[in-house]
Amino acid sequence: MIFSDYLSGMGKNAIARKLNKMGVPLLCGTVWRDNTISSILKNEKYTGNMLLQKTYRPDHISKKGVLNHGEVPMYYVENSHEAIIDKETFEHVKQEIERRAERYKSHLQYTGIGSLDR
């Protein structure tokens, strides 16, 4: 439902409000938020594939995890588990996220909000 709602034009906040109104529970017991929806829409695990080592621990004493920007190798495992959505839908959502981000960026430039020359 989240992926189809997003592709039909709903925003992340609207989807979160819809899920909260429907009483759909979250594992952590909190309410749905736009950042939760965003992380679901970007997570390749729903296609039955996994990208391993998105984060890593550079220091085993502090055990602090950091995002991996190529410092250590990442591994893409295909068909590691049963898919919830098909890869085509996931790719369409990815393209729609990029399209909306580009539209938002151009809106900021048009209005002058994104300009540093004030």
Side-chain angles (χ1 to χ4, degrees), residues 80-92:
S80 60
H81 56 281
E82 189 176 341
I84 295 173
I85 62 156
D86 59 280
K87 292 175 184 109
E88 186 178 323
T89 300
F90 185 75
E91 288 302 317
H92 281 101

Side-chain angles (χ1 to χ4, degrees), residues 2 12 15-16 19 32-41:
I2 292 172
K12 297 168 194 167
I15 296 170
L19 292 170
W32 289 91
R33 300 188 192 287
D34 64 327
N35 60 342
T36 309
I37 301 300
S38 183
S39 67
I40 289 171
L41 292 172

Side-chain angles (χ1 to χ4, degrees), residues 51-58 65-69 72-74:
L51 180 60
L52 304 177
Q53 293 191 188
K54 292 180 195 176
T55 61
Y56 70 101
R57 298 181 196 278
V66 296
L67 287 176
N68 182 2
H69 295 286
V72 296
M74 291 188 210

